[in-house]
Amino acid sequence: MNAFSRSWHLTKVTFDVINKDRELLGFALLSFIFSTLFIVAMVFPTIVSKILENGYSADSIKAIDYVILFVTYFGLAFIATFFNVCVVYTTKIRFEGGNATFGESFQFAMSRLGLIIQWSLLSASVGLLLRLIETLGKNFGKIGQVVVSIIVSLLGMAWGILTIFVVPVLVYEGLGPGAAIKKSIDVIKKTWGENLIKAIGLGLVQFLIIFLIIVGSVGLTYFLGEAFHVIGVLSGVAIGVLLLLLTGLIFNVANTIFNTALYVYANQGSIAAGFNEENIKGAFRPK
């Protein structure tokens, strides 16, 4: 089975899991809604700090801005991690032949609340550190700033890769942040090979769907614009944006499902229900 066929099969399998446990989309949707509301809520203190600039020193305002930034990073990390734990737990029970309810998965995430908070604090600290490094790059001129920005981007990418299995570790092992990262790295060492093909494969299918949505939305917007003028154009754009958001939510869940299946195989040596041996073993590099 070639890479594209394998990736296409993985996409169908992960979508099948989503179809059986549609609450997975509910968790993803709640994560998006709460993250959006949280960002909106954090805009207010940012505006307040700007208003206070006349009464406080620039250093004091900068300190306030960094506190707000850290709280923002923490809040977004907490929301994302909490609902991803719900997704992974629901997937875990499905792989084991069960069927977790929305409430059961939510309750499990609550039982891991301490670990989720610890991980969110670490994640927010890393995010703030990268932001500080990028800010310091402004002191090295335009070329230095570009170089520092590239370095920060690479560090952020590396951090994302090294921690890709942290949430499955939180669910299956209940380990703290440091041990979870170490465990995630151990799994990556086993799956480093064609695991990247998985990302490309799912991304290709996602790209094709997004392309079709954009083309369809442009046509729909033109048609509605001709019929209903401004209202029609706005309606067409709104429909296109909603479809793109839905696509992003679905594929985010699909990637989480497959990462969970890889984690199960790496730690238990078993093939998750719905996946076949060729696809799972094909994602592991030969020793």
Side-chain angles (χ1 to χ4, degrees):
M1 184 181 291
N2 60 43
F4 180 80
S5 297
R6 182 166 54 246
S7 298
W8 175 249
H9 175 76
L10 291 173
T11 301
K12 292 192 295 182
V13 171
T14 53
F15 274 42
D16 182 58
V17 174
I18 294 174
N19 185 51
K20 292 177 180 177
D21 292 288
R22 297 182 182 178
E23 61 268 26
L24 292 171
L25 293 180
F27 292 129
L29 182 60
L30 285 175
S31 178
F32 172 77
I33 292 174
F34 281 113
S35 295
T36 302
L37 292 175
F38 183 77
I39 291 174
V40 171
M42 291 307 298
V43 168
F44 178 74
T46 302
I47 294 175
V48 171
S49 70
K50 297 302 181 183
I51 294 175
L52 293 175
E53 285 184 357
N54 293 329
Y56 292 87
S57 66
D59 290 339
S60 297
I61 296 301
K62 180 175 289 188
I64 294 174
D65 286 341
Y66 281 125
V67 170
I68 294 173
L69 186 62
F70 177 81
V71 173
T72 302
Y73 283 156
F74 170 77
L76 293 177
F78 176 82
I79 293 170
T81 305
F82 183 90
F83 287 107
N84 274 335
V85 166
C86 293
V87 170
V88 173
Y89 178 77
T90 304
T91 302
K92 173 180 180 292
I93 299 303
R94 172 59 59 186
F95 286 166
E96 295 172 352
N99 182 19
T101 65
F102 185 95
E104 289 172 349
S105 297
F106 192 89
Q107 186 176 8
F108 177 84
M110 290 298 296
S111 73
R112 290 284 197 266
L113 193 61
L115 294 176
I116 293 173
I117 291 175
Q118 292 176 44
W119 169 249
S120 300
L121 286 171
L122 177 59
S123 180
S125 298
V126 172
L128 184 61
L129 178 60
L130 293 177
R131 181 62 176 270
L132 288 172
I133 293 174
E134 188 172 13
T135 300
L136 290 175
K138 296 179 180 179
N139 299 325
F140 299 102
K142 292 184 178 180
I143 296 179
Q145 187 174 350
V146 171
V147 172
V148 172
S149 295
I150 293 174
I151 293 175
V152 169
S153 297
L154 292 175
L155 289 174
M157 186 183 301
W159 173 254
I161 293 174
L162 293 177
T163 59
I164 193 171
F165 292 109
V166 162
V167 174
V169 173
L170 293 179
V171 173
Y172 280 86
E173 310 292 339
L175 300 178
I181 293 174
K182 183 178 182 301
K183 187 72 173 179
S184 178
I185 293 174
D186 289 339
V187 176
I188 288 172
K189 290 179 180 178
K190 296 179 181 179
T191 64
W192 185 252
E194 297 182 31
N195 186 29
L196 296 180
I197 293 178
K198 174 270 303 182
I200 295 173
L202 290 178
L204 178 59
V205 175
Q206 184 177 5
F207 172 79
L208 291 175
I209 293 177
I210 289 176
F211 177 77
L212 292 176
I213 290 175
I214 292 175
V215 172
S217 297
V218 170
L220 179 63
T221 300
Y222 177 79
F223 174 78
L224 292 177
E226 288 291 317
F228 304 103
H229 306 293
V230 176
I231 294 179
V233 171
L234 293 177
S235 299
V237 172
I239 292 173
V241 170
L242 288 175
L243 289 176
L244 290 175
L245 288 175
L246 180 60
T247 300
L249 290 175
I250 293 174
F251 275 92
N252 181 59
V253 172
N255 276 290
T256 301
I257 291 171
F258 183 58
N259 286 337
T260 303
L262 287 180
Y263 184 81
V264 168
Y265 184 76
N267 286 274
Q268 302 175 5
S270 58
I271 307 297
F275 291 82
N276 62 45
E277 186 174 359
E278 182 177 3
N279 274 319
I280 293 297
K281 288 188 175 182
F284 288 77
R285 65 176 184 176
K287 295 184 179 179

